[in-house]
Each structure stands twice: as C-alpha cells, then as structure tokens.
Amino acid sequence: MFVGHYSVAFAAKSEKNKIPLWVLFIAVQFVDYIWATLVLLGIEKLRVIKGFTAGSMLDSYFHPYSHSLVAAMVWSAVAGLVYKIIFSGHGCLYIKHAALIVGVAVFSHWILDLIAHPRDLAIYDNKWKVGFGLWNYRDPEFALEIALLLGGIMLYLARNVMPAIRRTAVIAFGIALVVVQVGDTYVPRTPLTDKATVMGVWIFYTLFVVAAFFLEKIGKRRQISSR
Ligand SMILES: [Zn+2]
C-alpha cells in the first residue's frame, strides 16, 4: 500500500480537530518512516526483487520492530503521546481527542498494509505472519489505492472550509499522488538496492509532507483578511 495510506490523513482532518494535514501525513506513514530508518541502519531487512508480487518488488522478510502488530500498536501510542506533548497548547479536551486521532491514523497504516502485503506482517516479533496479499493482483490493488485516496480527499473537501484556490490545489495534489501511484505500479524499472529504496521512501514521503504543509497555507492570508 502506498498513496492509499494518505486517504486516512485526508479523512481524519476536520474543522473541529484542527490537526495539521502535514502531521497526519507523517502519522499515516510513521511506521514506514521507522522501517526505512531501521533498514538504513541494517536492523530490519529488505530484498528488492523484480516481480516479487505483481504490484510490488518489496520482500520485507524481517521488519518486526516497525511492522509487527504489537510494534504498530506501540508506535501508535508513541505518536499520539508525542502529538499531545508538542501541540499541548490547545486545551485539554481538544488535545486528548486530537492525540487519539493521530494514534489511530498511525495504526491505520498496519491495517492497510495487511490488505496489500503478502504474508510478511508478524503479529509479534518475527512470528505468526499475516497479510491478505492484494499486491499479488496488480489492477485491483491499484484500484483500491486510488478509490481510498479519492474517498479521503472528498471527505477532506466536505469537512473543511477553505478558499476556492486551495480547493483547486487539493485536487491538483490528489492528481499528482495518482500519477505517482501509476508510476509505482505500472512503470517498469530495475530494482534498486535495499538502502537506495528506503532512501527513496524517506525522500518521497517527506516531499509529500512538505506539500501537505504548504497546501494548508494556500489562500490563508486572504481568508483571514476577509473576515
Ligand atoms: Zn508499511
């Protein structure tokens, strides 16, 4: 699962919880940030094999600290707590609710990975591996990613008031994410090394975070001055 994860970020943001979209973009990929970092450090293991599954080249044969069910639960709690500490200037009830949403957004990563991954997600440590393996079916997996993303963006547009220019930018960003997914799923390429692959993960995910940050700035000054 790739851009489909961002559907949760878009869907989770509301006028009420006011969680910045860029924070939610980190949250939904938090587990993968841990994974990419641990692969870079040589602690978790990855093989990149052409045609490993129809929709992905990643053979994640050892990633218990980022992608086991228990680890995902721990990371979700950690992320919720970090959010609470950093954004604690907003009043107690509000921040509790928002921290919970951030935690759930982090955990959503594991649930969506469970659908796409072949049986490589451990329940605990490196044991009892699960995964429904939708990545074995390229077109349905792609369709699910896009359907999720579109649904998330539609919810975001419905639940958040914004100037027309930002609305247009959100749609353009959505299209860009679809193009990235088309490239990832359908454009043939030679497999990179494990380290280069996770460096790419870091770079791309962070570019999307930066894009999400600026997205919510678009038209902001005009919005304030028109009040
Ligand atoms: Zn993942």
Side-chain angles (χ1 to χ4, degrees):
M1 182 71 49
F2 182 19
V3 302
H5 286 298
Y6 296 114
S7 65
V8 177
F10 281 113
K13 172 67 187 265
S14 75
E15 289 287 314
K16 225 165 124 191
N17 64 48
K18 291 196 168 53
I19 307 165
L21 187 64
W22 67 269
V23 169
L24 288 163
F25 261 57
I26 296 175
V28 297
Q29 297 286 20
F30 193 61
V31 161
D32 269 11
Y33 269 113
I34 305 287
W35 165 71
T37 307
L38 292 178
V39 171
L40 277 175
L41 293 172
I43 296 167
E44 292 198 337
K45 306 288 179 197
L46 166 73
R47 277 185 292 250
V48 189
I49 303 165
K50 201 170 182 118
F52 179 67
T53 57
S56 159
M57 297 195 281
L58 306 180
D59 176 13
S60 292
Y61 62 98
F62 185 76
H63 54 174
Y65 313 116
S66 62
H67 276 76
S68 71
L69 174 61
V70 171
M73 289 161 100
V74 171
W75 291 123
S76 303
V78 167
L81 211 67
V82 169
Y83 182 84
K84 199 171 164 179
I85 292 163
I86 295 176
F87 292 82
S88 58
H90 297 277
C92 198
L93 256 180
Y94 159 80
I95 200 76
K96 246 188 199 162
H97 180 65
L100 185 70
I101 290 171
V102 169
V104 171
V106 172
F107 189 69
S108 76
H109 183 98
W110 196 86
I111 299 296
L112 292 181
D113 270 6
L114 177 67
I115 298 169
H117 278 231
R119 206 175 285 174
D120 64 13
L121 297 164
I123 298 297
Y124 164 72
D125 195 18
N126 204 33
K127 286 182 219 134
W128 308 305
K129 296 202 174 172
V130 291
F132 302 152
L134 197 60
W135 258 337
N136 289 312
Y137 310 94
R138 194 164 65 166
D139 298 340
E141 204 280 336
F142 175 82
L144 178 66
E145 303 249 17
I146 303 306
L148 284 171
L149 185 66
L150 293 185
I153 290 175
M154 279 162 70
L155 267 175
Y156 178 79
L157 291 174
R159 295 172 78 204
N160 296 279
V161 180
M162 67 191 80
I165 184 167
R166 194 187 306 164
R167 196 166 269 275
T168 309
V170 168
I171 292 163
F173 185 37
I175 292 168
L177 287 173
V178 170
V179 169
V180 167
Q181 185 64 56
V182 169
D184 192 60
T185 304
Y186 292 108
V187 177
R189 57 186 190 277
T190 41
L192 300 166
T193 64
D194 56 341
K195 299 266 195 300
T197 299
V198 293
M199 269 307 289
V201 165
W202 251 102
I203 292 165
F204 265 89
Y205 287 9
T206 306
L207 281 176
F208 297 152
V209 170
V210 172
F213 174 82
F214 284 112
L215 198 63
E216 290 199 322
K217 299 273 175 246
I218 294 173
K220 204 165 194 181
R221 196 178 299 164
R222 197 182 307 165
Q223 203 178 12
I224 292 163
S225 62
S226 68
R227 267 177 197 163

